[in-house]
């Protein structure tokens, strides 16, 4: 999110990056809603199903459409640079 989405912006996919960012906010909202429900509440399972469906759509869009377009646009050097940045970001999160 902190590396790839800005790269999407820089490579003409700003609208798509904004949509993905909104999706991540929506995920946080879902997680909050789930934390407010007891797992034995009938709404909890319905919310999980809705969450899973939306999450799968988000992942499919990233993996099947947007990330391949970005990889193609970056070329070998750009992809190596993004990989280094993602590794650095991962280390900071750990």
């Amino acid at each position: 999110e902190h590396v790839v989405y800005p790269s999407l912006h820089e490579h003409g996919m700003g609208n798509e990056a904004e949509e993905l960012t909104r999706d991540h906010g929506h995920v946080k909202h879902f997680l909050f809603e789930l934390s407010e429900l007891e797992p034995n509440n009938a709404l909890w399972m319905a919310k999980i199903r809705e969450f899973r469906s939306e999450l799968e759509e988000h992942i499919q869009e990233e993996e099947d459409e947007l990330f391949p377009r970005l990889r193609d646009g970056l070329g070998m050097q750009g992809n190596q640079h993004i990989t280094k940045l993602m590794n650095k970001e991962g280390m900071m999160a750990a």
Side-chain angles (χ1 to χ4, degrees), residues 37-52:
L37 292 172
E38 294 294 325
N40 60 354
N41 184 322
L43 293 175
W44 193 85
M45 188 53 77
K47 187 61 75 175
I48 285 286
R49 286 188 182 105
E50 181 183 357
F51 176 63
R52 180 178 178 163

Side-chain angles (χ1 to χ4, degrees), residues 12-31:
M13 293 184 270
N15 290 338
E16 292 89 338
E18 294 297 327
E19 179 185 330
L20 295 174
T21 300
R22 278 191 300 276
D23 287 352
H24 281 216
H26 196 62
V27 164
K28 292 172 186 168
H29 181 77
F30 258 115
L31 293 174

